[in-house]
Amino acid sequence: MFENKFNALRRGCSTVAIALALTLAGAGVGHAETKPVLFNIAPKNTAQALLEFSKQAGIQLLFPYDEATKFNAPALKGEFSREAALAKLLEGTNLEIAGVTDKTISLRVKSKSTEQSHNDTTQDVVEVIVTGTNIRGANPTSPARVMGRREIEDSGFSQVGDVIRSLPESFSGGQNPGVIGASSASIGNQNLTNGSTVNLRGVGTDGTLVLFNGRRMSGDSFFQGADVSAIPLSALQRIEIVTDGASAIYGSDAVAGVVNFVLRRNFEGAEVSARTGAATQGGASEKVFTALGGRTGADSFLLANLEYAEQGAVRADDRDFTKAAPADHWLLRPQTRKSLLVSAGRDFGGDARLSVDALITERRSATRSRRTATTTPTVGEVFTPSYNIASALEFSLPGDWNLRATAAASGSRNSTWSGTLLATASFTSRKNSVRYGEVTADGTLFTLPTGPVKAAIGGGFRREDYRNNRAPSSSYIEPTRDVAYLYGEALFPLVSPSNRPGLNALELNVSFRAEDYSDFGQSTNPKVGVRWLPTPDVTMRASWGTSFKAPSFTQMYQASIVAIYQANILGYSGTGTALVTSGGLTELTPETSESWTFGADWKPARWPGLKVTTTYFSIDYTDRVVQPIPNLAVGLSDPIYSSFVETPSSARLAEVLASADITYNYSGGSYDPTKVVAILHNTYQNASSQTVRGVDLGYRQNVQMGRHDIDLFANATWLTLQQQTVAAAPEQTLSGTLFNAPDVKARAGASWRRARWSATGTLNYVDDIRDTGVKPERRIASWTTMDASVAYRFEGPGVFGDGLKVVASVSNLFDRNPPIALSPATTNPGLTYDSTNASILGRFASLTIVKAW
C-alpha cells in the first residue's frame, strides 16, 4: 500500500515540478536600463553607501560587506538610473555586478583571471552567507565556512558525502558508507542503509541540521539523521557550513551546526558529464552520468539536473590488508543512485516572486557479510527512495520589507530485505517524513544614526512522521508529532562603518525561537551575536546561544522489551533472576545545549585574496538520550548504575510485564516471580552529557604570478570531546579514541591554473588515536593521504572545442592503507582498522569528461 502511495507521490512531484518549471521559464534575458531615481547619498564608507542605495533605489542589494568596508564612496546627488548610480558608487572598488533581476542585484569581488572558459562557474559569486540568519544581507556573527563551486570541482569528488567527510569539522563516523563494527563506541555508528550523513564535531548525525537550498530535510532510517547522498554534486553552487548552535534560527537538531546545500540558480547553458573510476587495489568501480541545463532571464530562472551513478563493492579479498577476513565479506557496499532535480522561479510584475525546488531520488544498495569463513553469509538489499520539494512565494511590502511564505515536504523510506542464503529473508521498513509551512517578514524597523535596524519575524507549523516496520509486526510503530513555532531576529548597527581606528564598525544580532511539540512540550532558545571590526581588515565575532534536539521517534516510541536473565549474568552475587527493560520512553525531554564561539577573520587590503580565520568553540550538551547501561554484565554490581536498579514487589513485576510489547526469557527456566531479585531499567533516558571544546583554523589565499593563478588553502580542527554517560559515572574523553572523532583533523593544498590547464593537490591528515578495546591501550598511528587532480580545457571549433574539459583525479595517491587497530578484529575477524577514521578504499583513480554549451 505504502509503496504505491510513495511511487504515486514521487511521480506526481516530478510531473508538477517539471510542469511548473517550464511554465515559469518563459522570460527574456536582457535588462533594460531603469527609470531615473532621485538619489541623495553623502560621501561615506562604500558598505554604508550601498545600504543607502538599496533603500533609495527600492531594490534588494546582496554584496560582500567586508570587502565593501575597505573603500569609500563619493557623494551621489541627483537623478540617475539605478545602473548609473551603482556604477558611480563602485568606482575604485574591486566589486562588480554578478546578477540582476527586477528586485535584486548581486555583487561579487572582481575576478583576477581573465581566462575563463565559456559557461565557467569556477569563479564564485561572493554574496552574503544566507545560512544562520533570517535577515537578508545580514553579516554572520557565527563561524561560517563556504565551499564554493570552484572548491567543489577542485576536490575531485563525485559524491556530496565524500566532500562532507573530507572536512576537518566533520567526523566520518555515524551513518556513513564503510562504517563496520563501530557500534561498541556509539549505537549511532552503524551503516544501516549506505546513506551519507553529516556529523559535525562528532556529537552524532542527529545533532547537525541539514538544509537543502535553505529547506529542512527529513531524517532517514533508524537514527533519523538526514541522508545527503541523494543531493547531486553537479547542481550545487556552494555548501555553507555554520559550526555553531542555531536552534534560535532553525529549531531542533541544530546543536553542532547547520549545513546548507545551495543550488546553482545562476547557471546558464547546458552541461553533460561522464565519470568512470576504480580502486587500483580492486573493487569500487564507479560510473556517473550527469546532464545539467539552466536558463536565467530578467525575471525568471530554470535549473534541471539528471544523474545516474553506479558504485561497485570492495570485498575483503580485494585488499591484502584484510586477507584474514572471509573473502566474500563486503567492506564497501555496491549501490546505484538515480536523481532528478528541478529548480525554477519567476518574478511576477516585480512585486511577487515564486520559486520551486524539487529533488526526486532513489538508491539501491546490497549487503553481504560473513563473520568467519565457516559461518553462513548474510545477504541483503536496501531500497531508499526519497523526495524533497519546496515552494516559496515572496512579496515586496512598503519600504524595504519582504514577506516570504514557504511550503515544503521531505521524506525517505528504507525497505530492507536480509537473511542467509539458506533461509527465508526478513523484511523491515522505515519511513521518515516532514511537512511544514511558514511565513517570514523581514525589513528595516527604524533607522539609527549608525544605520538601519533590521528585523525578521515569522512562524509556522511542522508535522513529522515516522514508521518502523508494518503491522502486525511486534516492532511496528507509527507516531506523528506536530510542531508550532515562532521566531524573531534583530540586527542593531551600534557603530556605523568608518575609518576610526579600533572601532571601525560594531553590530549586535539578537534572535530567539519558541517551539511547541505535541508529544513532549515546549522549548525556547535565544541567541546573541556580536560582530566588531577594529579595522576594515579584521573582523572579531562572538556568539552565545542555547540549542536543543527533540528526542527521536525511536527513542520515544520504540517497542517496550522485557528480557529475563539469571541475575548472576548481570553482576548479581547471589541466585535468582532479574528483568531488564529496554525500548522507548514517552516521558523523554529534549536534549539541550549551550554554545559559545569566539573568532576572528583577517582579510588585509594590502594582500587581496588572503583570508585567515580562527574560532574557539564550546558546546555543553546535556540531557542526552541514551540507554544508560552499555555493559549489562555489571548492571547489578557497579554502583554507578544503582539509580537504574529497582527492587520490585510482585504487583510491580506484573505491571512491568503487562506493559511490555515483547518479552524474552533467557534465564534457561520458566519464569517465577518469587525468584526475581531486581529490575534493571535500560530504556532510553535523559541520562548523559557531553562537552566539546576546540579550535578551528582556516587559511585561503589567491596568488597571481604572471599568467599563473594559484589558490592556497588549509583548514584544521583541534577538539576535545568528553562524555559522562550517567551522573554517577566518571567523565570520559572520547576524542582521540577508537571509533570517535580524532583530536586533530586537517586538510591543506593548492590549486594552480594557467590558460587551459589546472591542477590541484591536497593533503589530508587524521591524528593518531588510542585503541581502547585492548589492554593495555595501544596507539593507532596517524593517517596522511594525498589527493590530486589535473584538468585540461579544449578550445577551438569542432567536437574538441569550447566547453570540453577532461579531468583526471586520484584520491589517496600513494595508496596508504589504514593504520592498524587490533580491537575491531575481536568482533569482525580480519578487520584491523578504525572504519570511522580511515577508508579501506585505497588509491582511487577516475576520469571525467565534461561538455558545456
Side-chain angles (χ1 to χ4, degrees):
M1 177 71 73
F2 176 78
E3 284 78 4
N4 294 335
K5 290 183 179 179
F6 192 99
N7 291 333
L9 175 61
R10 184 179 57 183
R11 292 193 297 268
C13 289
S14 300
T15 303
V16 170
I18 295 172
L20 181 56
L22 294 176
T23 301
L24 295 173
V29 178
H31 297 275
E33 188 163 289
T34 57
K35 295 180 181 180
V37 177
L38 181 61
F39 289 94
N40 185 6
I41 302 176
K44 58 181 66 179
N45 181 274
T46 299
Q48 197 69 19
L50 291 175
L51 292 175
E52 189 65 27
F53 166 84
S54 175
K55 181 178 178 181
Q56 295 184 20
I59 192 166
Q60 181 182 0
L61 187 65
L62 302 176
F63 63 95
Y65 187 91
D66 289 346
E67 287 295 321
T69 60
K70 299 177 180 179
F71 306 95
N72 292 315
L76 184 67
K77 296 184 179 181
E79 287 193 344
F80 301 90
S81 68
R82 74 184 187 196
E83 291 80 9
L86 186 57
K88 287 182 175 294
L89 295 178
L90 297 182
E91 287 180 0
T93 73
N94 65 342
L95 303 178
E96 64 182 4
I97 295 175
V100 180
T101 70
D102 284 349
K103 285 296 177 182
T104 304
I105 299 177
S106 300
L107 305 182
R108 66 184 173 195
V109 177
K110 292 179 181 178
S111 168
K112 299 179 181 64
S113 173
T114 60
E115 301 176 5
Q116 298 186 40
S117 65
H118 170 67
N119 202 21
D120 185 9
T121 58
T122 58
Q123 294 292 340
D124 297 315
V125 177
V126 182
E127 298 181 356
V128 291
I129 297 171
V130 300
T131 309
T133 180
N134 287 308
I135 298 175
R136 290 168 296 153
N139 298 296
T141 56
S142 294
R145 177 181 176 189
V146 177
M147 288 191 68
R149 185 67 209 166
R150 169 182 279 188
E151 189 175 354
I152 292 172
E153 292 182 351
D154 288 347
S155 71
F157 296 123
S158 65
Q159 302 180 42
V160 164
D162 291 332
V163 174
I164 292 298
R165 285 185 289 273
S166 73
L167 301 179
E169 304 92 334
S170 182
F171 172 49
S172 297
Q175 301 171 74
N176 279 297
V179 174
I180 299 175
S183 59
S184 58
S186 168
I187 192 173
N189 273 344
Q190 297 185 52
N191 178 17
L192 295 181
T193 68
N194 218 45
S196 293
T197 58
V198 186
N199 193 349
L200 294 178
R201 308 304 189 201
V203 300
T205 57
D206 54 356
T208 300
L209 179 66
V210 178
L211 306 176
F212 175 63
N213 221 31
R215 318 291 195 248
R216 175 183 286 263
M217 294 183 68
S218 76
D220 184 73
S221 187
F222 185 77
F223 301 103
Q224 285 122 55
D227 178 13
V228 302
S229 66
I231 300 174
L233 202 61
S234 57
L236 294 181
Q237 179 63 33
R238 63 187 186 274
I239 303 172
E240 297 182 349
I241 306 109
V242 175
T243 50
D244 190 13
S247 287
I249 303 296
Y250 296 109
S252 178
D253 305 342
V255 174
V258 182
V259 177
N260 186 13
F261 297 92
V262 183
L263 295 174
R264 299 171 72 178
R265 283 184 165 176
N266 61 343
F267 182 80
E268 179 74 29
E271 180 181 286
V272 294
S273 67
R275 171 181 165 118
T276 183
T280 58
Q281 292 188 44
S285 60
E286 181 184 61
K287 297 177 182 178
V288 182
F289 304 96
T290 301
L292 175 69
R295 180 187 179 188
T296 58
D299 55 7
S300 68
F301 70 87
L302 171 64
L303 176 74
N305 189 92
L306 185 66
E307 182 173 279
Y308 174 81
E310 291 181 4
Q311 179 180 311
V314 173
R315 293 163 47 105
D317 62 350
D318 287 331
R319 301 288 180 270
D320 291 338
F321 186 74
T322 55
K323 288 291 188 182
D328 57 350
H329 182 86
W330 284 347
L331 308 178
L332 288 176
R333 302 180 188 177
Q335 70 173 10
T336 61
R337 302 191 318 272
K338 303 173 185 177
S339 69
L340 171 64
L341 179 145
V342 176
S343 179
R346 186 166 184 177
D347 190 328
F348 295 97
D351 292 326
R353 298 164 295 283
L354 177 66
S355 64
V356 62
D357 303 318
L359 174 63
I360 313 297
T361 72
E362 69 174 40
R363 180 167 49 81
R364 292 184 183 273
S365 175
T367 65
R368 187 181 181 95
S369 62
R370 189 198 291 257
R371 180 176 169 80
T372 66
T374 59
T375 58
T376 303
T378 299
V379 297
E381 182 177 340
V382 182
F383 174 55
T384 304
S386 66
Y387 64 90
N388 290 271
I389 185 165
S391 182
L393 184 61
E394 296 187 53
F395 298 94
S396 296
L397 302 177
D400 66 347
W401 279 81
N402 188 75
L403 182 68
R404 181 176 68 255
T406 302
S410 175
S412 70
R413 174 169 57 84
N414 312 113
S415 297
T416 304
W417 294 264
S418 62
T420 66
L421 296 176
L422 302 178
T424 303
S426 62
F427 172 79
T428 59
S429 177
R430 296 184 179 94
K431 178 181 75 71
N432 289 269
S433 66
V434 57
R435 292 161 287 168
Y436 68 93
E438 64 182 32
V439 177
T440 304
D442 75 299
T444 300
L445 280 177
F446 52 87
T447 300
L448 298 173
T450 53
V453 176
K454 293 184 175 293
I457 189 168
F461 177 85
R462 184 171 75 245
R463 170 160 289 181
E464 300 174 357
D465 299 280
Y466 176 68
R467 189 189 72 191
N468 187 79
N469 281 328
R470 297 175 173 178
S473 167
S474 59
S475 60
Y476 167 77
I477 57 172
E478 194 169 11
T480 295
R481 66 167 48 129
D482 295 330
V483 188
Y485 53 92
L486 294 172
Y487 49 85
E489 183 179 2
L491 178 65
F492 299 90
L494 302 181
V495 176
S496 59
S498 66
N499 291 321
R500 65 177 68 88
L503 197 56
N504 182 260
L506 181 64
E507 293 179 340
L508 173 68
N509 186 293
V510 180
S511 56
F512 81 95
R513 184 173 176 121
E515 299 202 342
D516 187 2
Y517 280 72
S518 60
D519 53 356
F520 66 77
Q522 300 176 344
S523 180
T524 300
N525 294 274
K527 185 172 183 178
V528 179
V530 176
R531 182 175 177 273
W532 167 44
L533 276 70
T535 72
D537 292 347
V538 178
T539 300
M540 307 293 293
R541 44 183 166 71
S543 67
W544 168 88
T546 66
S547 295
F548 81 104
K549 187 190 82 68
S552 72
F553 286 116
T554 299
Q555 293 165 342
M556 291 189 72
Y557 301 108
Q558 186 181 9
S560 173
I561 300 173
V562 173
I564 307 169
Y565 293 91
Q566 289 293 329
N568 60 358
I569 294 178
L570 306 176
Y572 188 68
S573 59
T575 60
T577 59
L579 307 187
V580 178
T581 67
S582 61
L585 183 66
T586 56
E587 290 79 16
L588 292 175
T589 59
E591 301 176 351
T592 59
S593 72
E594 181 179 16
S595 300
W596 292 85
T597 69
F598 303 92
D601 305 325
W602 181 47
K603 297 176 66 176
R606 71 181 72 179
W607 296 307
L610 171 64
K611 183 177 182 180
V612 179
T613 66
T614 180
T615 299
Y616 168 80
F617 57 88
S618 171
I619 305 173
D620 287 321
Y621 199 180
T622 57
D623 299 320
R624 296 228 63 185
V625 177
V626 294
Q627 289 180 290
I629 309 170
N631 184 6
L632 291 176
V634 296
L636 296 179
S637 61
D638 195 327
I640 68 173
Y641 301 126
S642 60
S643 60
F644 306 104
V645 178
E646 178 184 358
T647 302
S649 64
S650 58
R652 176 61 174 155
L653 287 173
E655 179 186 355
V656 170
L657 288 171
S659 64
D661 298 309
I662 307 170
T663 302
Y664 298 108
N665 189 344
Y666 300 125
S667 67
S670 59
Y671 169 68
D672 184 350
T674 64
K675 294 183 179 180
V676 177
V677 297
I679 299 176
L680 191 58
H681 293 283
N682 202 29
T683 54
Y684 284 108
Q685 298 182 44
N686 294 99
S688 179
S689 64
Q690 289 181 331
T691 60
V692 188
R693 308 279 189 271
V695 175
D696 291 327
L697 293 179
Y699 160 79
R700 180 165 288 275
Q701 185 173 13
N702 179 265
V703 179
Q704 299 289 316
M705 300 177 62
R707 299 182 65 187
H708 301 272
D709 183 354
I710 302 173
D711 284 325
L712 305 173
F713 58 90
N715 293 90
T717 294
W718 286 260
L719 69 78
T720 299
L721 171 60
Q722 295 178 308
Q723 176 172 295
Q724 189 175 31
T725 305
V726 295
E731 192 172 55
Q732 297 176 299
T733 299
L734 298 184
S735 55
T737 64
L738 181 75
F739 298 140
N740 286 290
D743 292 326
V744 181
K745 187 176 179 182
R747 181 175 172 86
S751 295
W752 163 84
R753 287 171 176 80
R754 179 182 177 183
R756 306 178 189 180
W757 289 94
S758 63
T760 299
T762 307
L763 282 174
N764 309 283
Y765 174 79
V766 177
D767 202 15
D768 63 300
I769 59 179
R770 292 177 290 116
D771 188 346
T772 54
V774 294
K775 299 298 180 185
E777 293 182 357
R778 185 180 183 276
R779 176 180 174 270
I780 302 172
S782 62
W783 196 49
T784 303
T785 61
M786 182 173 183
D787 305 333
S789 66
V790 178
Y792 181 79
R793 174 172 48 84
F794 291 86
E795 292 181 354
V799 176
F800 296 99
D802 288 344
L804 180 65
K805 184 169 67 172
V806 178
V807 184
S809 301
V810 181
S811 61
N812 196 350
L813 179 65
F814 299 109
D815 207 15
R816 294 286 306 278
N817 283 326
I820 294 176
L822 297 181
S823 64
T826 59
T827 55
N828 291 271
L831 305 186
T832 54
Y833 67 101
D834 179 351
S835 61
T836 65
N837 284 301
S839 171
I840 200 66
L841 185 63
R843 182 192 296 116
F844 183 89
S846 66
L847 181 68
T848 304
I849 300 176
V850 182
K851 175 63 178 177
W853 294 271

